[in-house]
Short mmCIF file of all heavy atoms in Angstrom, two decimals:
data_model
loop_
_atom_site.label_atom_id
_atom_site.label_comp_id
_atom_site.label_asym_id
_atom_site.label_seq_id
_atom_site.Cartn_x
_atom_site.Cartn_y
_atom_site.Cartn_z
N ILE A 1617 13.17 -0.67 -55.22
CA ILE A 1617 14.31 -0.46 -54.29
C ILE A 1617 14.06 -1.07 -52.96
O ILE A 1617 14.84 -1.80 -52.37
CB ILE A 1617 14.60 1.06 -54.17
CG1 ILE A 1617 15.18 1.57 -55.52
CG2 ILE A 1617 15.59 1.30 -53.05
CD1 ILE A 1617 15.29 3.08 -55.56
N ILE A 1618 12.81 -0.85 -52.39
CA ILE A 1618 12.46 -1.37 -51.11
C ILE A 1618 12.50 -2.92 -51.12
O ILE A 1618 13.08 -3.56 -50.22
CB ILE A 1618 11.06 -0.88 -50.65
CG1 ILE A 1618 11.11 0.63 -50.39
CG2 ILE A 1618 10.55 -1.67 -49.46
CD1 ILE A 1618 9.75 1.23 -50.13
N ASN A 1619 11.89 -3.51 -52.16
CA ASN A 1619 11.90 -5.01 -52.24
C ASN A 1619 13.31 -5.54 -52.48
O ASN A 1619 13.64 -6.61 -52.00
CB ASN A 1619 10.96 -5.45 -53.34
CG ASN A 1619 9.52 -5.50 -52.90
OD1 ASN A 1619 9.08 -6.39 -52.23
ND2 ASN A 1619 8.78 -4.40 -53.21
N GLY A 1620 14.10 -4.78 -53.24
CA GLY A 1620 15.49 -5.23 -53.49
C GLY A 1620 16.28 -5.28 -52.20
O GLY A 1620 16.98 -6.22 -51.93
N VAL A 1621 16.17 -4.22 -51.39
CA VAL A 1621 16.85 -4.20 -50.09
C VAL A 1621 16.42 -5.32 -49.19
O VAL A 1621 17.19 -6.02 -48.54
CB VAL A 1621 16.63 -2.82 -49.37
CG1 VAL A 1621 17.16 -2.85 -47.95
CG2 VAL A 1621 17.30 -1.71 -50.16
N PHE A 1622 15.09 -5.56 -49.18
CA PHE A 1622 14.54 -6.63 -48.39
C PHE A 1622 15.09 -7.98 -48.79
O PHE A 1622 15.55 -8.80 -47.95
CB PHE A 1622 12.98 -6.68 -48.49
CG PHE A 1622 12.34 -7.89 -47.89
CD1 PHE A 1622 12.19 -7.97 -46.51
CD2 PHE A 1622 11.92 -8.92 -48.69
CE1 PHE A 1622 11.59 -9.05 -45.94
CE2 PHE A 1622 11.33 -10.03 -48.12
CZ PHE A 1622 11.15 -10.11 -46.73
N LEU A 1623 15.12 -8.27 -50.09
CA LEU A 1623 15.61 -9.54 -50.56
C LEU A 1623 17.12 -9.76 -50.35
O LEU A 1623 17.55 -10.86 -50.04
CB LEU A 1623 15.29 -9.75 -52.03
CG LEU A 1623 13.77 -9.93 -52.33
CD1 LEU A 1623 13.56 -9.99 -53.83
CD2 LEU A 1623 13.25 -11.16 -51.73
N VAL A 1624 17.88 -8.71 -50.48
CA VAL A 1624 19.30 -8.77 -50.24
C VAL A 1624 19.53 -9.11 -48.75
O VAL A 1624 20.36 -9.96 -48.43
CB VAL A 1624 19.99 -7.47 -50.61
CG1 VAL A 1624 21.47 -7.42 -50.04
CG2 VAL A 1624 20.04 -7.32 -52.14
N LEU A 1625 18.80 -8.47 -47.83
CA LEU A 1625 18.91 -8.75 -46.44
C LEU A 1625 18.50 -10.21 -46.09
O LEU A 1625 19.19 -10.90 -45.34
CB LEU A 1625 18.02 -7.77 -45.63
CG LEU A 1625 18.52 -6.34 -45.55
CD1 LEU A 1625 17.49 -5.49 -44.82
CD2 LEU A 1625 19.89 -6.23 -44.85
N VAL A 1626 17.42 -10.66 -46.72
CA VAL A 1626 16.99 -12.06 -46.51
C VAL A 1626 18.07 -13.02 -47.02
O VAL A 1626 18.36 -14.02 -46.41
CB VAL A 1626 15.66 -12.32 -47.22
CG1 VAL A 1626 15.32 -13.80 -47.20
CG2 VAL A 1626 14.54 -11.54 -46.54
N GLY A 1627 18.63 -12.71 -48.17
CA GLY A 1627 19.72 -13.52 -48.72
C GLY A 1627 20.94 -13.63 -47.81
O GLY A 1627 21.52 -14.72 -47.64
N ILE A 1628 21.28 -12.50 -47.22
CA ILE A 1628 22.42 -12.52 -46.27
C ILE A 1628 22.10 -13.33 -45.03
O ILE A 1628 22.95 -14.03 -44.51
CB ILE A 1628 22.74 -11.00 -45.91
CG1 ILE A 1628 23.29 -10.28 -47.10
CG2 ILE A 1628 23.75 -11.03 -44.76
CD1 ILE A 1628 23.45 -8.81 -46.88
N LEU A 1629 20.86 -13.27 -44.55
CA LEU A 1629 20.49 -13.94 -43.31
C LEU A 1629 19.95 -15.36 -43.53
O LEU A 1629 19.63 -16.03 -42.57
CB LEU A 1629 19.39 -13.09 -42.58
CG LEU A 1629 19.79 -11.67 -42.16
CD1 LEU A 1629 18.57 -10.91 -41.64
CD2 LEU A 1629 20.93 -11.70 -41.15
N SER A 1630 19.88 -15.80 -44.77
CA SER A 1630 19.24 -17.07 -45.09
C SER A 1630 19.99 -18.28 -44.53
O SER A 1630 19.41 -19.35 -44.44
CB SER A 1630 19.05 -17.26 -46.63
OG SER A 1630 20.31 -17.35 -47.26
N SER A 1631 21.28 -18.11 -44.20
CA SER A 1631 22.01 -19.20 -43.61
C SER A 1631 21.43 -19.67 -42.29
O SER A 1631 21.63 -20.79 -41.86
CB SER A 1631 23.50 -18.82 -43.44
OG SER A 1631 23.57 -17.68 -42.61
N LYS A 1632 20.65 -18.77 -41.67
CA LYS A 1632 20.00 -19.12 -40.38
C LYS A 1632 18.61 -19.67 -40.55
O LYS A 1632 17.97 -19.95 -39.55
CB LYS A 1632 20.03 -17.88 -39.50
CG LYS A 1632 21.41 -17.34 -39.17
CD LYS A 1632 21.34 -16.12 -38.28
CE LYS A 1632 22.73 -15.57 -37.99
NZ LYS A 1632 22.70 -14.35 -37.16
N MET A 1633 18.17 -19.76 -41.77
CA MET A 1633 16.78 -20.30 -42.00
C MET A 1633 16.73 -21.77 -41.88
O MET A 1633 17.74 -22.46 -42.11
CB MET A 1633 16.35 -19.94 -43.45
CG MET A 1633 16.07 -18.50 -43.75
SD MET A 1633 15.52 -18.38 -45.48
CE MET A 1633 15.35 -16.59 -45.60
N PRO A 1634 15.59 -22.36 -41.52
CA PRO A 1634 15.41 -23.78 -41.62
C PRO A 1634 15.62 -24.25 -43.05
O PRO A 1634 15.31 -23.52 -43.99
CB PRO A 1634 13.93 -23.97 -41.15
CG PRO A 1634 13.59 -22.74 -40.42
CD PRO A 1634 14.40 -21.66 -41.04
N ASN A 1635 16.09 -25.48 -43.20
CA ASN A 1635 16.40 -25.98 -44.54
C ASN A 1635 15.15 -25.95 -45.44
O ASN A 1635 15.26 -25.61 -46.62
CB ASN A 1635 16.94 -27.43 -44.49
CG ASN A 1635 17.46 -27.90 -45.80
OD1 ASN A 1635 18.30 -27.28 -46.39
ND2 ASN A 1635 16.99 -29.07 -46.21
N LYS A 1636 13.95 -26.28 -44.93
CA LYS A 1636 12.73 -26.29 -45.70
C LYS A 1636 12.50 -24.91 -46.30
O LYS A 1636 12.13 -24.77 -47.46
CB LYS A 1636 11.54 -26.65 -44.85
CG LYS A 1636 11.41 -28.16 -44.56
CD LYS A 1636 10.15 -28.42 -43.80
CE LYS A 1636 9.95 -29.92 -43.56
NZ LYS A 1636 8.70 -30.15 -42.83
#
Side-chain angles (χ1 to χ4, degrees):
I1617 292 170
I1618 291 173
N1619 279 281
V1621 170
F1622 171 78
L1623 291 176
V1624 168
L1625 289 175
V1626 171
I1628 293 170
L1629 299 173
S1630 65
S1631 58
K1632 299 180 180 179
M1633 289 181 184
N1635 189 53
K1636 282 184 178 181

